[in-house]
Amino acid sequence: MYDVKGNLRQVLGQLPQGVRLVAISKYHPNEFIEAAYEEGQRVFGESHEQELRLKHESLPKDIEWHFIGHLQTNKVKYIAPYVTMIEAVDSLKLLKEIDKQATKCGRVIDVLLELHIAEESTKYGLRLDDCRQLLADGEWRELKHVRICGLMMMASLTDDCEQIRQEFMTAAGFFDEVKQQFFADAPWFCERSWGMSDDYNIAVGCRSTMVRIGTMIFGPRIY
Ligand SMILES: *Cc1c(COP(=O)(O)O)cnc(C)c1O
């Protein structure tokens, strides 16, 4: 088997204090997750509702599941009862649906707003101006069953480290802006989720608080 435990230890050893690891287990079997779990890892990320549901049902209940992929509004009801954090909220519509389903479950669900800073047109997420607009509109303030805990983003898929660094720094600067304008009295608004297998070393230098790492720990995904 792939040396999940060794890889996990290596990754954790490289993360500065204050940066949490979300182990991205999508497309990997339960045995790999169990190996990481035995090493003490409790936070895992998945991007497909059905796969997440099966893993949630069969794996230890103290695992904290982050939903990291693009989430369709009609899928929210399935994950609302148990998901710890929904990382990639990119519309008010989705935010409202999460609030609605969380209300039904008697929960408050933590979420991050996903930014679109990368060059690729295929990436999901809010453009900075759209994010400003969403927050300025203020309707989100009425949603008592979601808690906006910070921002999430993916850098461009490129070998150009300087470009990646600039995108992370743009996100970090934008975090400060919205923190000051909208979340100054909200201590829970503190998360900056950026950095994946290929760029987490850059991300931690750009004030990331949460890295989402799959391949480095679990190996290549077989789709
Ligand atoms: C798959 C995925 C990751 C992990 O990517 P790796 O390159 O395998 O580390 C991180 N974030 C998101 C949103 C993903 O979909």
Side-chain angles (χ1 to χ4, degrees), residues 24 26 47 68 152 154 196-198 212-215 221:
I24 304 301
K26 63 190 185 196
S47 58
I68 58 158
M152 175 269 203
M154 271 187 275
M196 310 179 12
S197 290
D198 287 337
R212 309 177 308 268
I213 300 178
T215 309
R221 289 178 283 274

Side-chain angles (χ1 to χ4, degrees), residues 147-159:
R147 193 169 70 152
I148 302 175
C149 296
L151 305 174
M152 175 269 203
M153 58 84 77
M154 271 187 275
S156 294
L157 203 60
T158 170
D159 292 335

